[in-house]
Structure formats: C-alpha cells, structure tokens
Amino acid sequence: MLAQKIRENIYWVGAIDWSLRNFHGYQTTRGSSYNAYLIIDEKITLIDNVKKKFTNEMLSRISSVINPKKIDIIISNHGEPDHSGSLLKMIELAPQAKIYSSSPNGVKILNLLYGDLPIIPVKNNETLSIGKRTLRFIHSPMVHWPDNMVTYLENEKILFSNDIFGQHLATSNRFDYEFDLSIALYEAKKYYANIVWPYSSQAFKIADKLKELKIEMIATSHGLIWEKHISDILNLYKSMISYEKKDKAVIVYDTMWGSTEVIAKTIAETFQNSNIMVTLYNVNDTHDSDIVSDIFDSKFLAVGSSTLNNNMLPTIASLLCYLKGLGPKDMKFISFGSYGWGGQSVELIDKELEEMHLERLISPIKIQYAPKEEQIKLIANDIYNAINK
Ligand code: FEO
C-alpha cells in the first residue's frame, strides 16, 4: 500500500476502514478512515497513528516512503485508540522515537491505556522544531477527550486537527475537492452532532484560538482533508458551535397499532401548515445517530410512544437516553402517545424532555386507544396556536 503525498515531503499514511458500521453507538453508514501523517524533515515525524488492527496498513504506507524504524518523532494529538492503537508497535520498531502528547492529559491517558511510556508533555502553544519545519501544539480539551490537541505546521500552514472537522467517511479520495461536498458536509455535521455536541462550549473556545491561524489545509484524523472548501467547513462549524437553529420540527415516534402514528402525522401536518419544515421519523426506520443529527439544529422536537407495560416503548427510551447524553438545548418540545389503560408513556417522555431543560410547547398529548376526529382537530388547533401566538 502506498502513502499519498499531500504536500512536498508530507504524506497521508493512514488506513481506510471500509466496513465500519458502528462507532460506539454511532451508525457509520459510510465507514471511516484513521488518518496519520508522515513529515520527512531532519526529524522524521509521524502525526497520530491508527486503530490497532490497521497497524500493518499504516506501516505498509510509511514503508513506501521510508523505513518506519527511522521515525524520530511521534505526535499523539489524542489518545483514543482509533488514533493511538499502533503506538506500542511504533515504539517497538523505532525505540529511539520521542513521543509528544498534551500535558497533563495526553500523557496521563496514554499511560493509563498502554502502561508507563516515556511521553514528553507539551503545553498549550508550545513549539517543536523538526528541522526546516516547526510544529505548534494547541490544546483543544474535550473536543473530543480531555487530552485533545491539534498540531499546526507553521511552514505549510497545515492544521492537523485530529477529531475536529472530521467525518466518518471511507473513501479512496483524500481531498474535499475530489468528493461530493454535500455528503462531506453532511457527514461532518453528523460527526459533530454525535460526538462534539456535548462539548460545544469547549469547541467554541478552540474555534476562537484557531481564528488566529492562517490555515491552508485542514488534515483531519477522519475522512477527507479540507483544502479547497476550508471556508465551507469553517462556516458549518461556526453555525454548529453557535447553535444556530433552523425553522424546523423533528417528530419521532414508535407505535403499536397505529394510533400514536396518527398523532405524529397530525403534529407534522400542523407544523407544515405553519410553514415550518418537518421531518417525521418512525424510530424503527432510521438510526438514532441520524435522527439526532436532524434534531441538533431544530427549533421543535416532538416525541411519541404508545404505552407498553407501564412504560414507553424501548426504542423511544433508547433514543431519549442517547439524546440526553448529548445535552440538547434551545428547543421546544411536545410529548405524545396513545394508550389502552395505564398511559404512562407520555408522562415519562415529558419528564425526560423536561430534564433535558427543553421548553414545553403544549401540554402532553394523551389519547386512549384511537384518536377521534374531534381530538385530532383539537391537537392541531392547540399546536397551531402555540406556534403562531
Ligand atoms: Fe477519532 Fe476521539 O477519536
């Protein structure tokens, strides 16, 4: 396997995970890649590495340029094993290599994962000369773990951004201009919504630090490298970090015998009649990670379930559990559902959404067995009035 040149003496030497479909609960429909980069300078430098099972793929790509035993410096921007899984192998092959990671968390996490290693801690904004080139380390804690940092190559103005600006995307193309931009941006948004969303305030701080840099290339650790469309990805991040909302309602439900679905469709129709864009999901048809990507920038969220055994349906419970972890905010909600006798599902959904500090748009909608025509009209009327008051 070959390295791919991204600039003179700078190579992509990562691995493509074509068959990845689950990244701890996040459905990665398009696979992913683990991007590592090799810089040939007076000190041969490897930036990040790959998931353990792809170590040979990375070594093969490095070997197409130099003998991996000659690596002098290993930078670990982030200890999560998709970027550090080959570290022990690299140490075995190149025991002279100096390993750099953020202080104190990068050092701590690598030691906790792999045993006591002689990691050199780097402070925020510290620089390292590797010959003709200089690397600058900028800490980016919690985007995605406490240890994250990005590495800025001052000479070529390349930002090795690790998880930030990444997309779970397996492709033989390396650059943004070689791929469908709308898919790349969708996957970047999905990545943010499922991984970075809980840490938006930290991402905001990093974005502020990065403003000071002149960036000509963003070499991410997943998916495509941003070069021709840097302004597109930066604008997308700007809107996501500042939590810009769309005039949009997401309605999610599960239904036992169709009654909750009738309510869901009534809610959808009412939003539509108020000129608010709607997406309607039966939770069984779409993965939670795609649904939350849509919820992420919506002003309204409606969640419904029939009552089953004094509870909501497990599919909806699972979605709410996942959503709660992401820390949604600035959204108005509706809880709804049909029931036979107990009717607990709606109160339980309502409580969950309230605990997420979202704002209730109207009182919970509970219908016993099947909704009647006059009940449908009342629901539509209540929602319409609440939206348009
Ligand atoms: Fe791609 Fe947080 O690891």
Side-chain angles (χ1 to χ4, degrees):
M1 289 178 172
L2 299 177
Q4 286 180 255
K5 190 195 269 192
I6 62 167
R7 279 284 195 275
E8 201 54 41
N9 286 319
I10 306 175
Y11 298 88
W12 173 85
V13 290
I16 306 172
D17 195 346
W18 294 100
S19 59
L20 184 79
R21 290 295 177 270
N22 185 318
F23 195 92
H24 39 64
Y26 168 164
Q27 189 177 61
T28 48
T29 322
R30 294 186 168 93
S32 194
S33 69
Y34 314 111
N35 299 336
Y37 299 93
L38 184 72
I39 306 174
I40 308 296
D41 206 314
E42 284 163 32
K43 301 282 183 197
I44 295 170
T45 302
L46 178 67
I47 298 189
D48 291 320
N49 54 84
V50 299
K51 203 184 246 188
K52 191 175 180 184
K53 72 174 185 176
F54 292 93
T55 300
N56 285 342
E57 180 172 338
M58 180 185 75
L59 287 174
S60 157
R61 295 190 195 280
I62 295 173
S63 301
S64 71
V65 183
I66 48 120
N67 185 334
K69 291 179 179 172
K70 292 185 175 170
I71 288 173
D72 301 295
I73 289 174
I74 298 171
I75 307 295
S76 174
N77 279 322
H78 178 26
E80 193 166 10
D82 49 336
H83 310 296
S84 69
S86 315
L87 188 60
L88 292 180
K89 184 67 184 175
M90 294 313 300
I91 293 170
E92 184 191 318
L93 288 172
Q96 77 288 350
K98 290 184 174 159
I99 308 160
Y100 294 82
S101 194
S102 67
S103 165
N105 289 318
V107 177
K108 182 177 161 191
I109 287 173
L110 289 176
N111 282 329
L112 288 169
L113 282 169
Y114 301 113
D116 284 339
L117 299 172
I119 316 276
I120 302 169
V122 295
K123 295 194 183 80
N124 181 44
N125 229 18
E126 195 171 321
T127 56
L128 175 70
S129 169
I130 57 169
K132 293 190 188 75
R133 295 175 176 83
T134 301
L135 303 176
R136 180 177 294 278
F137 305 110
I138 300 163
H139 287 195
S140 52
M142 297 317 300
V143 196
H144 158 229
W145 278 9
D147 64 322
N148 273 77
M149 65 176 191
V150 298
T151 297
Y152 180 60
L153 179 57
E154 297 195 331
N155 309 65
E156 279 88 354
K157 299 181 177 53
I158 300 177
L159 183 72
F160 296 97
S161 64
N162 199 267
D163 279 342
I164 310 176
F165 309 118
Q167 331 94 53
H168 280 312
L169 199 55
T171 163
S172 56
N173 302 115
R174 296 276 62 81
F175 288 99
D176 52 5
Y177 54 84
E178 299 171 320
F179 198 81
D180 184 316
L181 182 63
S182 61
I183 294 175
L185 290 172
Y186 173 76
E187 290 298 341
K189 179 191 168 193
K190 183 175 174 181
Y191 190 94
Y192 187 96
N194 283 274
I195 292 183
V196 187
W197 190 359
Y199 314 115
S200 287
S201 58
Q202 289 93 336
F204 193 88
K205 288 181 196 151
I206 307 312
D208 225 33
K209 287 188 201 172
L210 298 183
K211 267 189 214 156
E212 294 157 19
L213 305 178
K214 177 150 180 47
I215 298 170
E216 292 183 358
M217 183 186 288
I218 300 175
T220 63
S221 65
H222 296 291
L224 298 160
I225 295 169
W226 300 100
E227 190 181 26
K228 297 274 191 291
H229 296 288
I230 289 177
S231 61
D232 292 284
I233 185 68
L234 290 181
N235 284 338
L236 175 65
Y237 259 67
K238 194 173 157 209
S239 73
M240 295 192 297
I241 285 166
S242 55
Y243 235 92
E244 279 176 21
K245 295 283 187 178
K246 295 200 172 99
D247 246 356
K248 189 172 79 169
V250 172
I251 293 118
V252 198
Y253 69 96
D254 197 355
T255 190
M256 286 170 70
W257 294 105
S259 294
T260 300
E261 185 173 50
V262 171
I263 307 170
K265 287 185 173 170
T266 304
I267 296 171
E269 180 72 16
T270 311
F271 275 106
Q272 202 176 328
N273 292 342
S274 301
N275 293 321
I276 291 171
M277 191 167 78
V278 171
T279 333
L280 180 70
Y281 294 103
N282 180 319
V283 75
N284 296 289
D285 302 333
T286 308
H287 195 267
D288 287 354
S289 52
D290 284 300
I291 297 174
V292 300
S293 304
D294 204 359
I295 292 173
F296 170 72
D297 54 2
S298 296
K299 281 188 184 167
F300 301 96
L301 169 65
V303 182
S305 170
S306 327
T307 295
L308 174 74
N309 300 331
N310 304 328
N311 213 322
M312 65 183 97
L313 289 162
T315 45
I316 291 294
S318 165
L319 173 78
L320 289 174
C321 173
Y322 190 63
L323 180 65
K324 196 177 199 172
L326 295 170
K329 58 179 186 179
D330 300 339
M331 224 178 284
K332 293 186 177 174
F333 75 84
I334 301 171
S335 48
F336 65 96
S338 113
Y339 67 101
W341 49 100
Q344 294 89 340
S345 64
V346 182
E347 277 88 6
L348 290 168
I349 292 170
D350 203 75
K351 187 165 171 278
E352 285 289 321
L353 294 169
E354 196 175 34
E355 282 175 5
M356 294 180 209
H357 307 294
L358 306 182
E359 189 187 336
R360 188 181 291 101
L361 182 70
I362 57 163
S363 301
I365 302 167
K366 276 177 76 170
I367 300 288
Q368 193 165 22
Y369 291 99
K372 310 279 181 306
E373 193 59 41
E374 59 275 20
Q375 289 173 310
I376 295 288
K377 280 187 188 150
L378 205 59
I379 291 168
N381 207 37
D382 281 354
I383 296 173
Y384 188 87
N385 289 338
I387 298 168
N388 295 290
K389 75 176 174 193

